[in-house]
Amino acid sequence: MTDATTKSRYSLGAMIFHWAIAIAVIWNWRLAETAHETADRAHGAALMADHKALGITILALTLGRIAWRLTHKLPPLPANYATWERVLARGTHLIFYILLVALPLAGWIANSLGGKMIDYFGLFTIPALPVGQNGDLGHSIFEVHATTGTIMIWLIGLHILGALKHTFFDKDGGIFRMLPFGSVGAERR
């Protein structure tokens, strides 16, 4: 790997955080969707328990990723990006970080308002936050949580389309900036 390639790629730590969070978010979305679609209440409750535990995992991974990002230099955006692409890329990343913290926190707060603890995959229990009990408010927060989760999935779709555009249409190796293999734009020149 050339020095130019190394500078145009994200660090290995950033790659690990990125892909772990991406897989966890998509998996967690499917858990919630499946839980709501099932007619078996016990199975739905078990899926939601896993959804909550995975949400806490996503929160922890996101806080780790933010710490990593604050202590490791980002590669610059490729020079061929138009101004609108730069603004969209940076804005999308900022919204991702906000949602990756806000969604799990909102779920935890709503759960806590119902007086419920979170079972972390049967390993230990995460206590309810000290927010008191208010089932109506908790339900409202869960509704916002679900809507915002759908927005996150649409944002992931936009992110994937952008990576594919840069990789296959612009041919600047966009997706390979977040992978330890493949040709990044700097290698092509």
Side-chain angles (χ1 to χ4, degrees), residues 49-164:
D50 287 347
H51 172 79
K52 293 171 186 181
L54 190 53
I56 296 296
T57 304
I58 291 167
L59 178 60
L61 286 170
T62 300
L63 295 176
R65 175 141 188 216
I66 290 169
W68 184 270
R69 185 168 177 165
L70 293 173
T71 59
H72 293 78
K73 187 175 176 158
L74 286 175
L77 289 172
N80 65 313
Y81 280 26
T83 302
W84 70 268
E85 290 173 309
R86 290 176 179 279
V87 169
L88 187 60
R90 294 293 186 224
T92 301
H93 282 121
L94 177 62
I95 294 168
F96 270 136
Y97 283 114
I98 291 168
L99 292 178
L100 287 168
V101 171
L103 274 164
L105 279 178
W108 191 3
I109 290 167
N111 204 61
S112 298
L113 286 165
K116 298 176 186 167
M117 297 182 286
I118 296 173
D119 173 31
Y120 192 79
F121 299 115
L123 300 172
F124 54 88
T125 302
I126 299 169
L129 294 168
V131 293
Q133 289 194 18
N134 184 333
D136 291 338
L137 179 57
H139 179 74
S140 295
I141 293 172
F142 275 133
E143 292 294 322
V144 171
H145 174 83
T147 301
T148 309
T150 301
I151 291 168
M152 169 70 94
I153 293 302
W154 282 98
L155 195 60
I156 289 170
L158 175 66
H159 184 65
I160 291 168
L161 287 174
L164 293 174

Side-chain angles (χ1 to χ4, degrees), residues 164-179:
L164 293 174
K165 172 199 175 288
H166 284 288
T167 302
F168 297 110
F169 292 103
D170 298 342
K171 303 213 184 289
D172 64 12
I175 199 168
F176 299 113
R177 289 167 40 87
M178 193 50 85
L179 293 169

